[in-house]
Amino acid sequence: MTTPTNARPNIVLFGFMGTGKTAVGQRLAETLGLVFTDMDDVIVERAGKSIPEIFADDGETRFREIERAVVQALAGRDGLVIATGGGVVLNPGNVSDLGRSGLLVCLQATPEVILSRVAHDTNRPLLAVDDKLGRIRALLAARQSLYDALPHQVDTTPLTQEGVVAQIVDLYGG
Ligand code: S3P
């Protein structure tokens, strides 16, 4: 297979739930003329059911298998801004496949800011508990080193969405 010389690298946004990957990714794609893709939407399309339904009917292991297949499909494309699911970092193969496709950026936020953004959300089965802040802290503690190991970090807490987008545009060389 030949790679077209005008291929544009992907921008892949990582980070915990509620760090703004989707909102930032949409703006970023618009700014740079890239195509926005939300991995969770692709998973829902493939599975033919919502994420809470996949977790409830088939379990998290099955969800991670579908997620892995979607990573492999998207990593073979170019010109995309990809908003990954927060758990994509759990499989090192996901990070290396996506790393070959473009710029990897991790969005970070404090547990309190994350809580304020996901408090009323019913589409995230891992946060469907009474003590959401406790769950966010526990999941973050388990994953923080994986997020920190990604090549570029943007702390979204003190920034507007425009500010986050501007930092990533700079990193991309746009
Ligand atoms: C998950 C994050 C979610 C979604 C699923 C699992 C996680 O994506 O993939 O609920 O393990 O952190 P967002 O980060 O887009 O909410």
Side-chain angles (χ1 to χ4, degrees):
M1 197 181 81
T2 52
T3 310
T5 49
N6 61 351
R8 298 176 76 191
N10 295 331
I11 298 177
V12 189
L13 300 178
F14 291 85
F16 197 77
M17 295 174 263
T19 51
K21 293 164 293 188
T22 300
V24 165
Q26 282 168 339
R27 276 178 184 243
L28 201 50
E30 226 169 83
T31 306
L32 292 168
L34 298 169
V35 174
F36 177 72
T37 310
D38 191 301
M39 274 195 47
D40 286 344
D41 290 346
V42 182
I43 291 170
V44 167
E45 207 174 289
R46 280 199 180 202
K49 49 177 123 173
S50 71
I51 289 178
E53 284 168 343
I54 303 171
F55 271 72
D57 298 350
D58 312 311
E60 180 171 349
T61 303
R62 178 66 193 135
F63 174 81
R64 297 298 173 203
E65 283 169 9
I66 306 170
E67 181 174 64
R68 174 82 187 118
V70 171
V71 164
Q72 288 171 316
L74 295 179
R77 295 176 54 189
D78 60 67
L80 303 177
V81 175
I82 303 170
T84 65
V88 158
V89 286
L90 295 169
N91 183 333
N94 287 340
V95 178
S96 53
D97 288 345
L98 290 166
R100 282 190 288 276
S101 84
L103 178 75
L104 306 190
V105 180
C106 184
L107 305 186
Q108 305 257 10
T110 61
E112 291 74 15
V113 167
I114 290 169
L115 178 67
S116 72
R117 292 179 185 159
V118 302
H120 303 294
D121 186 90
T122 54
N123 204 33
R124 291 178 167 112
L126 294 178
L127 299 181
V129 294
D130 288 340
D131 179 14
K132 286 191 185 0
L133 187 58
R135 174 60 67 84
I136 291 167
R137 287 203 170 109
L139 286 170
L140 266 176
R143 297 179 179 178
Q144 193 63 55
S145 63
L146 301 171
Y147 293 131
D148 290 348
L150 290 160
H152 299 285
Q153 306 291 326
V154 177
D155 179 6
T156 66
T157 300
L159 295 174
T160 60
Q161 262 175 27
E162 290 87 341
V164 176
V165 169
Q167 282 203 14
I168 300 171
V169 169
D170 274 357
L171 289 169
Y172 190 68

